[in-house]
Amino acid sequence: MKENYPSKLLENAVEAIRTLPGVGKNSALRLAMHILKQPAENIHHLTSAINSLRDEVRYCRECMMIADGDICSVCSDPKRDHRTICVVENVRDVISIEKTGQYNGVYHVLGGVISPIDGIGPSDISIMELVNRVGRIVSQPDDEETLSSSVQSVPEVIFALRGDVEGETTSFYIYRQIANFGIRVSSLARGLGFGDNLEYADELTLGRSIVNRQIFRP
Amino acid sequence: MKENYPSKLLENAVEAIRTLPGVGKNSALRLAMHILKQPAENIHHLTSAINSLRDEVRYCRECMMIADGDICSVCSDPKRDHRTICVVENVRDVISIEKTGQYNGVYHVLGGVISPIDGIGPSDISIMELVNRVGRIVSQPDDEETLSSSVQSVPEVIFALRGDVEGETTSFYIYRQIANFGIRVSSLARGLGFGDNLEYADELTLGRSIVNRQIFRP
């Protein structure tokens, strides 16, 4: 009975499941026991969904988001505003913003933020692709999507990156690359959350909330 | 963008991962993102270990434990005492007891406990197999394993089931089936854990600790 497991099959499965983030030895064993109790077809469905995700995943050639084809569902949607680009770190951020239902533009997924400590420089994330993309939008103002709208909107890049040093650095780095295009550049509002109590807010957030206070419209 | 997921592949994987116990929507998405970042061979190793566990698992014909073959590693070990059977609910209990290094007998995995509320009766768990097994041990006292030992030990059944009503009921039900065999029947000691503070012990446990107090051997 090697390593206390009664079966090599069980041991292999537990060791493999343990490699997942946030899954310890005991959770892995519990998951393995759960797997043993499920109908085989359910487990085959699970493993083939995982394999398909890993093997067949593609990334949108426009915004680098996960896609089922050459181009993602957002970039191929004619109803979205293709001249407003929201810059995010990863796909989970896209999903979070989509959930709000408040955004009708398109995205650009950087795949990370500039972080010298982690050895991630500007060329390791898709900044060049973003700059080229903005360049294309600016130089072709009368492309297919915008011909239909009578008023030509000003292109906009919205930074929706983390509020920490790496996020701010990345926003600033990109800003310098696109400032000359004469487009609008904005970043997410930061301040107290809805329902937040002033007493428990951190100083930085509360300070920013005061500096960036907004006109009261009752 | 159905259900906020940018890709059907991603959605399928998240939905499948969510079926695992203790994994919510957000954890499933986090796991899916992790899977996307791993080398494909790691993911294939994971999924094939899971499939192998589910498809190739076998149960020991003696003790019903998970095994790689016809008989498990404990039951096939000639160094273990095959006349002492520890009755447990499931394989995780076997792993826990093996970890202590304090037990040299064999096991019997019931696969559950009697629980009328959950519709689990005596015939739904492997009680009959246990009774037959004890019968075989009693009727063949001079079998292969015991021939070598000069002193013939008394067969023993140890109940290592839960301390709740279902566990006690199951122990008692089995006891009535095997009482006539004239073997030793015992159950795990219950009491305060090592390092436990009396102040925080529940009354039932503390009460049993007093009733079942042991001779002090300094």
Side-chain angles (χ1 to χ4, degrees):
Chain A
M1 188 175 270
K2 197 187 159 196
E3 291 236 347
N4 288 323
Y5 292 108
S7 139
K8 192 76 194 156
L9 287 172
L10 179 65
E11 186 183 342
N12 288 345
V14 170
E15 292 300 323
I17 295 170
R18 271 184 74 183
T19 63
L20 295 173
V23 180
K25 211 168 180 174
N26 287 332
S27 317
L29 183 57
R30 205 171 321 124
L31 285 172
M33 288 301 152
H34 170 84
I35 285 162
L36 278 174
K37 282 187 202 147
Q38 300 310 302
E41 68 229 48
N42 291 15
I43 297 309
H44 296 159
H45 176 75
L46 169 71
T47 52
S48 82
I50 291 174
N51 282 338
S52 298
L53 176 66
R54 183 61 193 79
D55 297 338
E56 294 162 34
V57 74
R58 296 176 66 181
Y59 294 91
C60 175
R61 60 156 196 257
E62 280 293 315
C63 73
M64 314 293 146
M65 182 150 68
I66 289 176
D68 287 333
D70 238 17
I71 194 155
C72 76
S73 50
V74 173
C75 286
S76 61
D77 185 348
K79 293 199 203 93
R80 314 262 323 200
D81 175 6
H82 290 252
R83 294 167 65 83
T84 302
I85 300 175
C86 181
V87 180
V88 294
E89 185 177 339
N90 57 45
V91 175
R92 281 163 66 191
D93 299 333
V94 172
I95 295 173
S96 297
I97 295 175
E98 284 297 292
K99 261 188 200 159
T100 70
Q102 299 291 315
Y103 183 63
N104 194 41
V106 292
Y107 295 92
H108 192 90
V109 179
L110 290 179
V113 286
I114 297 171
S115 172
I117 278 184
D118 301 317
I120 303 173
S123 57
D124 296 317
I125 57 180
S126 59
I127 291 180
M128 202 189 66
E129 289 84 349
L130 172 62
V131 174
N132 292 341
R133 197 176 161 197
V134 173
R136 280 199 305 277
I137 291 176
V138 171
S139 63
Q140 305 176 330
D142 46 8
D143 68 318
E144 214 180 301
E145 290 104 11
T146 52
L147 258 181
S148 52
S149 66
S150 50
V151 181
Q152 182 70 36
S153 66
V154 181
E156 178 171 355
V157 166
I158 304 169
F159 293 123
L161 299 175
R162 304 188 223 158
D164 59 10
V165 177
E166 287 83 6
E168 298 278 322
T169 304
T170 309
S171 297
F172 186 65
Y173 182 92
I174 297 173
Y175 175 74
R176 285 192 314 187
Q177 311 273 311
I178 59 175
N180 289 336
F181 284 125
I183 58 172
R184 190 185 298 165
V185 182
S186 62
S187 102
L188 286 194
R190 300 205 183 265
L192 292 180
F194 276 91
D196 274 10
N197 197 319
L198 263 68
E199 203 175 334
Y200 304 117
D202 65 289
E203 290 168 29
L204 206 66
T205 301
L206 187 56
R208 285 224 199 175
S209 275
I210 295 170
V211 172
N212 300 328
R213 64 193 177 278
Q214 295 174 290
I215 303 293
F216 188 61
R217 292 191 192 86
Chain B
M1 188 176 265
K2 198 188 158 194
E3 289 235 349
N4 289 321
Y5 292 108
S7 139
K8 193 75 193 155
L9 286 171
L10 180 65
E11 187 183 341
N12 288 344
V14 169
E15 292 300 323
I17 295 170
R18 272 184 74 184
T19 63
L20 294 172
V23 179
K25 212 168 177 173
N26 287 332
S27 317
L29 183 57
R30 205 171 321 126
L31 285 173
M33 289 300 152
H34 169 85
I35 285 162
L36 279 173
K37 281 187 202 146
Q38 301 309 302
E41 69 228 49
N42 292 14
I43 299 307
H44 295 160
H45 175 74
L46 169 70
T47 52
S48 83
I50 291 174
N51 282 338
S52 298
L53 176 65
R54 183 62 193 78
D55 298 338
E56 294 163 34
V57 72
R58 297 174 67 181
Y59 295 90
C60 175
R61 61 159 194 256
E62 280 292 315
C63 72
M64 314 294 146
M65 182 151 68
I66 289 176
D68 288 333
D70 238 17
I71 194 156
C72 76
S73 50
V74 173
C75 285
S76 60
D77 185 349
K79 292 198 202 93
R80 315 261 323 198
D81 174 5
H82 289 253
R83 294 166 66 81
T84 302
I85 300 176
C86 182
V87 180
V88 295
E89 185 177 340
N90 57 45
V91 175
R92 282 163 66 191
D93 299 332
V94 172
I95 294 174
S96 298
I97 295 175
E98 284 297 291
K99 261 188 199 158
T100 69
Q102 299 291 314
Y103 182 64
N104 193 41
V106 293
Y107 295 93
H108 192 87
V109 179
L110 290 179
V113 286
I114 297 171
S115 172
I117 277 185
D118 301 317
I120 302 173
S123 57
D124 296 317
I125 57 180
S126 58
I127 292 181
M128 200 188 67
E129 290 84 347
L130 172 62
V131 174
N132 292 341
R133 197 174 161 199
V134 173
R136 281 199 305 277
I137 291 177
V138 171
S139 64
Q140 305 175 331
D142 46 7
D143 67 318
E144 214 180 300
E145 290 102 12
T146 52
L147 258 181
S148 52
S149 65
S150 50
V151 183
Q152 181 71 32
S153 65
V154 181
E156 178 171 354
V157 166
I158 305 170
F159 293 122
L161 299 174
R162 305 189 223 156
D164 59 9
V165 177
E166 286 82 6
E168 299 277 322
T169 305
T170 308
S171 296
F172 186 66
Y173 183 91
I174 297 173
Y175 175 75
R176 285 192 313 185
Q177 312 272 311
I178 59 176
N180 290 335
F181 284 126
I183 58 171
R184 190 186 300 169
V185 182
S186 63
S187 102
L188 286 193
R190 300 205 185 263
L192 292 181
F194 275 92
D196 273 10
N197 197 319
L198 261 68
E199 205 175 333
Y200 304 117
D202 65 288
E203 291 168 29
L204 206 65
T205 301
L206 187 55
R208 284 226 199 177
S209 276
I210 296 169
V211 173
N212 300 328
R213 65 193 177 278
Q214 295 176 291
I215 302 294
F216 187 62
R217 292 193 191 85

